[in-house]
Amino acid sequence: MKNYDISFDEIRELLIEEHYQEADITELEKAFDFAKKLHDGQFRISEEPYIIHPMEVVKILIQLRADIHTLMAGFLHDILEDTNTKPEEIKELFGEDVLNLVQGVTKLGKLQFKSTEERQAENFRRMFIAMANDVRIVFLKLADRLHNMRTLNFMSVQKQQKIAQETLDIFAPLANRLGVGKIKAELEDLSLKYLHPDRYYEIAQLVSQKKTERETAVNMLIEQISKDVKASGIEAKITGRAKHYYSIYKKMSRLNVAFHDLYDITAVRVIVNNEKECYEVLGLIHSQFKPIPGRFKDYIAMPKGNLYQSLHTSVIGPRQKPLEVQIRTWEMHEIAEYGVAAHWRYKEKGSNRADSANDIKFSWMRKLVEYNKDTQDAADYVNSVKLDIFSDQVFAFTPGGDVLDLPQNATPVDFAYRIHSDVGHKTVGALINGRIAQLDTKLKNGDIVEIMTSKVAAPRLDWLNFVVTKQASSKIKQWYKKNKREDHIEIGKANLEHELTKAIFDEYVKNGEFNKVAKQMNYVSAEDLFAALGYGETTLNKIVNRLKKPEKKETIDTNIQHKPRKASEKDIIGLEGLLYSFARCCSPIPGEPIVGVVTRSKGVSVHRLDCKTLDEVPAERLLDIRWSGVNVNKTYSTTIRVETAEKMGLLKDVIGIVSDNHTNIISANVKSKGKVGIIELGIELDNIDTLRKVMTAIQAMPDVFSVKRIQTSYTTSNNQNFSKKKAKSKKTSKNS
């Protein structure tokens, strides 16, 4: 095994370079000695002594100019998890602040969880909440993760991909939100290397091959800018750099273009002394090189949510090559590289750096705590954070000039709920940039949004179809849960009845099976269970999987056995996240055209496209939906009418043919009209093809006059009427 010379000397040199005080360096060496002693005899998978990992973490934190307590926690961050050290000992030796930081990054070691995923979700929840209270904790986590990613090559391929995906989902977005561009770029590049190694090495090779050609164009641009800047008396540092590999990979994927079709993989950066000079340099560049329309962004006047400021412009450079130019001050550059950590660099000597770290607050950090109050499940909480906080952002303004940051594709309803729950509940309309807009309009950067409200709270259930923030969707569901209990009970019952068939549903009600399941799922009664299903707190799958399967019985009318319905996933595209039920008036079956009708209080009702009741439905309440595919484990009910000659035993023959086609009969009614026998059969089947097969087989019987569904069959004219109605609706929406 390789011999390692492990000492504090290298760390001391870095600290002196960064002007840390001698007393702080002495305290930090004490933490190093303590950690080295406790980790003695422990090794990483790379066979390096374990103490090298906390040393590398501390080096990264020194680059960020972290305060001395954070550096001490960097040496001690694995002590509680990997040794028998008690928290009290850390508190006694290094103080309560250091202990809090160490505990903030310590994983959940001894608690019991149902799965690895549940444990990891709870780890992230704890980290986010701790981070909201002290931003230094996330810098510890980022430094820890960055060194782990740098040494990921010693792991198995499966672990490499799992850790890399987690880094891309959680830690790189965290670095981005804190504005730590240096760490974000390296985390993304390392993640790409392990998730898509072929693309990573392909891009690396292409960037290397084009380096000479790129540098020639960049150097010519830099030379020209330097002359103009110098002539104007502005002191500036001008450099060129290639974008990091992951950003190139994302742009190629997003635009679906080859590497050679990208023109802005290189950027020229101009750093000046003050904000006024930024705009002067911009004018000089635009006077010499033609700017590309639509490519100018002023992040100085309107900074990003992570404090990033710069002027971005793209110009046609030398040799007609498009190039991006970024212009910023030195302080802006520090913030672009180190984000929140850059604030520590500008504190006066002698100030309490740890306290200043706690003074730096972002609105999105406060949301981490709010989400925790609203969400009990750890996995749901982490998903909410990833969706609402770490996704690409849109910045919209209130009429008073306040800026709200929202996820991409956010709507005025998301905007309203971000202001306050009551504003969201009372929303009836919106003005975007002074013009009336539909509530499902996607907001763009810089939009000024004014929410129109009523005196009475009345959120609409169909808002769930387009809101993108977890905050909005959860508040809407909570309101319906609180205010529409009876309606939700009926929706829950209807959905269960449709899933199980009425006969089996009634049997479960009669024998108290739903009450048993309710108690298993921590509800007081069956009605609470139905209500929870109605407003979306639980799912059909969860309930049906707990039900005791009923014994098979023969029906009195038909002697045909009923089979219990099996649970299935949602099978309709276009209703994701919405409550829905199947209309009894037309009993739609997979394979035939369908349409959704938004109801006022019972979710979406699914109809056949030719259902006669649609004639009275306003076009704006119709939703475009379709079957996602045939689910062999789920059946749907409908009724057919068979007209026959009066003949003994004909009912038995019809039932036999239906049974031969593996179709279940749930009801049968026989009557005569003159010399014609009428048989009405309620049947269960999986799709429209099975229905056609059954009807064709019955029609082929010698004494059968006709076979038809009781509802009107689908016709082209109905489809055309529906299309016209939708077209008219779209035209009206555009005009509004």
Side-chain angles (χ1 to χ4, degrees), residues 4 57 122 134 164 206 208 217 250 276 344 436 445 500 508 513 560 592 601 614 710 717:
Y4 291 90
V57 168
E122 190 57 44
D134 191 335
L206 289 167
S208 178
K250 285 290 285 182
K276 178 174 172 285
W344 292 321
I436 294 175
N445 273 325
L500 299 168
Y508 280 139
E513 186 66 23
I560 300 297
E592 57 188 348
S601 59
L614 296 177
I710 288 181
S717 61

Side-chain angles (χ1 to χ4, degrees), residues 641-700:
R641 175 181 292 174
V642 184
E643 295 185 355
T644 70
E646 285 192 310
K647 182 182 176 183
M648 238 1 209
L650 197 56
L651 173 61
K652 182 180 177 183
D653 294 339
V654 170
I655 290 174
I657 284 180
V658 174
S659 183
D660 289 344
N661 282 280
H662 307 290
T663 300
N664 192 34
I665 298 177
I666 55 176
S667 66
N669 182 30
V670 181
K671 56 186 177 182
S672 57
K673 189 176 181 181
K675 293 186 178 181
V676 177
I678 298 174
I679 304 171
E680 289 185 359
L681 295 177
I683 58 177
E684 287 183 332
L685 32 79
D686 53 1
N687 60 59
I688 193 66
D689 292 332
T690 303
L691 176 62
R692 288 171 183 151
K693 188 177 177 183
V694 169
M695 292 175 68
T696 301
I698 296 173
Q699 185 69 65

Side-chain angles (χ1 to χ4, degrees), residues 69-81:
H69 285 178
T70 307
L71 297 181
M72 291 165 74
F75 276 129
L76 306 172
H77 74 274
D78 284 329
I79 292 292
L80 293 179
E81 192 175 344

Side-chain angles (χ1 to χ4, degrees), residues 552-681:
K552 292 183 178 180
K553 294 183 180 180
E554 291 189 344
T555 61
I556 298 173
D557 292 336
T558 63
N559 293 322
I560 300 297
Q561 290 182 333
H562 284 284
K563 294 182 290 185
R565 305 288 298 272
K566 293 183 179 179
S568 63
E569 298 299 323
K570 283 193 173 182
D571 46 7
I572 297 178
I573 295 173
L575 294 181
E576 294 82 358
L578 291 179
L579 308 174
Y580 71 92
S581 59
F582 294 96
R584 295 183 182 180
C585 55
C586 56
S587 303
I589 296 172
E592 57 188 348
I594 53 175
V595 63
V597 176
V598 178
T599 66
R600 291 193 179 278
S601 59
K602 298 185 179 182
V604 177
S605 179
V606 179
H607 291 254
R608 280 164 44 196
L609 194 54
D610 62 341
C611 182
K612 289 183 176 180
T613 62
L614 296 177
D615 294 340
E616 306 301 320
V617 177
E620 59 269 18
R621 288 176 55 199
L622 302 178
L623 294 178
D624 287 321
I625 59 175
R626 67 180 189 277
W627 300 100
S628 61
V630 177
N631 187 336
V632 295
N633 291 324
K634 187 167 183 176
T635 55
Y636 301 79
S637 59
T638 192
T639 304
I640 61 173
R641 175 181 292 174
V642 184
E643 295 185 355
T644 70
E646 285 192 310
K647 182 182 176 183
M648 238 1 209
L650 197 56
L651 173 61
K652 182 180 177 183
D653 294 339
V654 170
I655 290 174
I657 284 180
V658 174
S659 183
D660 289 344
N661 282 280
H662 307 290
T663 300
N664 192 34
I665 298 177
I666 55 176
S667 66
N669 182 30
V670 181
K671 56 186 177 182
S672 57
K673 189 176 181 181
K675 293 186 178 181
V676 177
I678 298 174
I679 304 171
E680 289 185 359
L681 295 177

Side-chain angles (χ1 to χ4, degrees), residues 149 152 160 163-169 172 186-197 200 246:
M149 288 297 293
L152 201 57
Q160 285 175 350
I163 293 170
Q165 190 62 58
E166 188 178 271
T167 300
L168 209 52
D169 289 344
E186 189 174 352
L187 288 175
E188 288 180 338
D189 280 355
L190 289 168
S191 298
L192 178 64
K193 180 179 178 181
Y194 292 105
L195 289 172
H196 305 287
Y200 174 85
Y246 183 76

Side-chain angles (χ1 to χ4, degrees), residues 479-489 600-601:
W479 189 89
Y480 271 88
K481 175 180 178 180
K482 184 178 179 180
N483 294 280
K484 298 281 185 177
R485 177 176 167 79
E486 294 305 317
D487 290 339
H488 288 125
I489 291 173
R600 291 193 179 278
S601 59

